[in-house]
Amino acid sequence: MNRYPLWKNLLILVVLLFGILYTLPNYFGEVPAVQVSSAKSTIRLSESALATAEKALSDARISHDGVFFDNNSVRVRLGSTDAQIKAKDALEHAFNPDPKDPGHTVALNLLSASPKWLTAIHALPMYLGLDLRGGVHFLLQVDMKGAITKRLDSTTGDMRTMLREKDIRHGGIVRDGESLVVRFRDVATRDKARNVIRDRLPDLQLVDKTEADEQLIVGTLTEQAKRRIQEDAIKQNIVTLHNRINELGVAEPVIQQQGADRIVVQLPGVQDVAKAKSLIGRTATLEVRMVDEAATQSGSSVGVDVIPERRRDGSVIPVAVKKQIVLTGDRFNGADATFDSNQQPAVAVSLDAAGGRIMRDVTRDSVGKRMAIILYERGKGEAISVATIQGEFGNRFQITGQFSPDETTSLAILIRSGSLAAPMDIIEERTIGPSLGADNIAKGFKSTMWGFIAIAIFMVIYYMVFGLVSVIALGANLLLLLALLSLLQATLTLPGIAAIAFTLGMAIDANVLINERIREELRNGSTPQAAIAAGYERAFGTILDSNVTTLIAGIALLIFGSGPVRGFAVVHCLGILTSMFSSVLVSRMVTNFIYGGRRKLQSIAIGQIWRPAADTQE
């Protein structure tokens, strides 16, 4: 009656063993480390950088505990903070020989001190949030005026193209503050142009003016268009920041909008504030220009811009491009790695409607010529793709070349997220030191530990042996919860620690329900074995109902919450799942081991000692 089949016992034991294994890394802590990553989107580190790092450390006579390659970055594990500082200087010198044009970011970091065999099975410690691990907090102000200016600049190009298509002659289009001014010689031409502009560019509010002998159209963006541009700008900036920070390997960064024009960035564990500022403040813009073949071959720089192109073998060659910009990055709707008709890796690019029209006009007369996509970072441009135009482009086209599949993926990411929609300024900077984080961890650990001890003492006194079983189940719940958080690499914050303490209370509730059901059965005259079986079976429905409703609330917090609320919800939801497993299955297994093997059970210790009645037989 109260025995699990062997497979079920083994399954529960395997789950508990899994819990122990994946909780272990959290007890080893972290050691100082140095991380080298790319500072430019056009540079990607490969495993060959390991040799460079090892040679630099060897030349500087710095001992280390390992050099690893992970996600486009090299990480060096070191034994002390002194060695960490020395290693940083040595690696900085090796990877950035020209300090004025650094191609790599060398930053201080922390790495898990877990044994290699645990790392090999992907048993890693939990990520700790900013309040527990320390790190940096930035509040960024998005330059909305800059976003508007950028859109007006691109609209100027669209307007020129439209008027050329309709064969309408004009005396020039210029941006004057937040207005576009188009000049005409006569009223008839101005009226014709106004109709075209109004149909094609509905975001512009047009006003006719006369100045000396010239007829003018002054266009300004409508308030609705300005709001849409600003909303789009802040969304694109958030996406771009996500991609940049992911490249640095910062675990679980917080990047979210605050108010109408601000973005909060929190980087847990980042110790090098200067590097972090350099990373998130990096401004980049994307441009498409035609290559000037004559100037490239002659090496002349007159009337052209000479841009370096980094090739697959790492070499850099100069490419002369025309000053006229064909397209800017805000015309790109998307880019994906794909394969062309010959099954060669390519990048499929899509443009917005205006960008498609411009590209069609430019490429129609430029078949066989080369076109460059240039990424500008920190004021310096670098050609990320120089390809020959094979035919007329439209809204969608492919960039082909001697690419590998990995390179097309990287190029697609660059095109999608290489540029910010609007400049940003850091208006608030706050650093949370590791010592404050350690203090928070100690306080959180103590509160959880004393809460657990208090619950354990109460349960053992009140329910005796079944109280002890409940405490074992509660311990299993805590073990599995930490294991899941480690396995999923979720970020633990102070609200997360509060959720752990809350989960302990929820989990013990389930055991109290089971114990009370068993006591109720005993009072009704059931035998101990029957009471145990009935207690677990009848309590299960109530436990399931209460946990499902609580889980629904937790999922709602997870979906609609953000920041600390979301951190609480993650731990809360996982805790409900582990508490159901431990309260029902682990608790029942332990009870079975204690009482299940006895054929004639005379009594059970559950706060009241059951005595068989004279006429009651098991």
Side-chain angles (χ1 to χ4, degrees), residues 218-440:
V218 179
T220 52
L221 288 168
T222 62
E223 289 302 317
Q224 186 181 4
K226 284 182 180 178
R227 279 198 300 274
R228 192 176 64 250
I229 292 167
Q230 291 172 348
E231 288 170 2
D232 291 345
I234 205 160
K235 285 177 184 172
Q236 186 179 331
N237 279 14
I238 288 175
V239 171
T240 304
L241 283 173
H242 264 293
N243 289 321
R244 289 179 181 178
I245 290 169
N246 286 343
E247 286 175 11
L248 191 63
V250 177
E252 294 291 318
V254 174
I255 305 168
Q256 58 191 22
Q257 182 176 352
Q258 186 178 81
D261 56 356
R262 292 180 176 179
I263 298 173
V264 171
V265 176
Q266 294 182 346
L267 306 176
V270 172
Q271 301 174 19
D272 197 329
V273 180
K275 291 294 181 189
K277 286 173 70 175
S278 169
L279 175 75
I280 65 173
R282 207 166 76 191
T283 55
T285 54
L286 206 62
E287 292 179 358
V288 177
R289 298 200 205 183
M290 296 303 298
V291 175
D292 191 317
E293 300 291 354
T296 301
Q297 290 174 4
S298 65
S300 171
S301 59
V302 178
V304 296
D305 288 332
V306 180
I307 305 293
E309 179 195 2
R310 194 177 298 276
R311 295 200 156 184
R312 297 180 62 186
D313 58 2
S315 62
V316 178
I317 63 166
V319 178
V321 296
K322 296 181 179 177
K323 287 187 177 292
Q324 184 180 2
I325 300 169
V326 176
L327 283 177
T328 53
D330 54 351
R331 293 296 184 197
F332 288 84
N333 280 341
D336 295 294
T338 183
F339 292 89
D340 62 11
S341 55
N342 297 320
Q343 295 305 306
Q344 295 298 314
V347 178
V349 178
S350 62
L351 303 173
D352 62 11
R357 282 196 301 273
I358 296 169
M359 185 61 81
R360 190 162 43 248
D361 292 341
V362 171
T363 55
R364 186 181 301 143
D365 301 326
S366 305
V367 175
K369 297 179 181 176
R370 291 193 299 164
M371 186 176 65
I373 299 177
I374 304 163
L375 184 71
Y376 282 91
E377 290 181 299
R378 297 173 181 172
K380 294 184 178 179
E382 194 166 313
I384 59 176
S385 169
V386 179
T388 303
I389 298 171
Q390 304 290 344
E392 181 181 319
F393 292 175
N395 287 45
R396 296 178 180 275
F397 59 92
Q398 287 187 342
I399 300 173
T400 57
Q402 299 300 317
F403 298 124
S404 67
D406 286 344
E407 286 169 335
T408 54
T409 302
S410 303
L411 184 57
I413 291 172
L414 283 176
I415 293 174
R416 281 202 304 266
S417 58
S419 63
L420 293 170
M424 295 186 296
D425 295 316
I426 297 173
I427 59 172
E428 181 184 313
E429 174 188 334
R430 196 166 68 240
T431 304
I432 299 174
S435 57
L436 180 60
D439 191 39
N440 288 336

Side-chain angles (χ1 to χ4, degrees), residues 2-4 8-9 12-13 16 459 463 465-477 480 507-516 518 532-533 535-537 539-540 543 578-596 606:
N2 286 311
R3 290 181 185 175
Y4 272 157
K8 205 166 186 177
N9 285 326
I12 295 171
L13 290 173
L16 292 176
M459 292 298 288
Y463 290 110
V465 172
F466 274 82
L468 183 63
V469 172
S470 301
V471 172
I472 293 172
L474 196 63
N477 176 40
L480 294 175
I508 208 64
D509 267 358
N511 287 107
V512 169
L513 273 174
I514 293 169
N515 294 343
E516 287 300 326
I518 294 173
I532 292 172
Y536 274 99
E537 287 169 9
F540 178 73
I543 294 170
T578 55
S579 82
M580 287 187 67
F581 178 84
S582 60
S583 301
V584 177
L585 294 178
V586 176
S587 165
R588 181 75 184 269
M589 184 186 74
V590 176
T591 304
N592 289 349
F593 283 146
I594 296 173
Y595 293 114
I606 190 167

Side-chain angles (χ1 to χ4, degrees), residues 67 78 109 123 131 141 163 175 205 217 298 354 448 465 566 580 584 589:
V67 182
L78 298 148
N109 212 326
D131 48 1
Q141 176 83 45
L163 296 178
R175 180 175 60 81
Q205 203 166 14
I217 294 179
S298 65
T448 305
V465 172
R566 198 178 174 87
M580 287 187 67
V584 177
M589 184 186 74

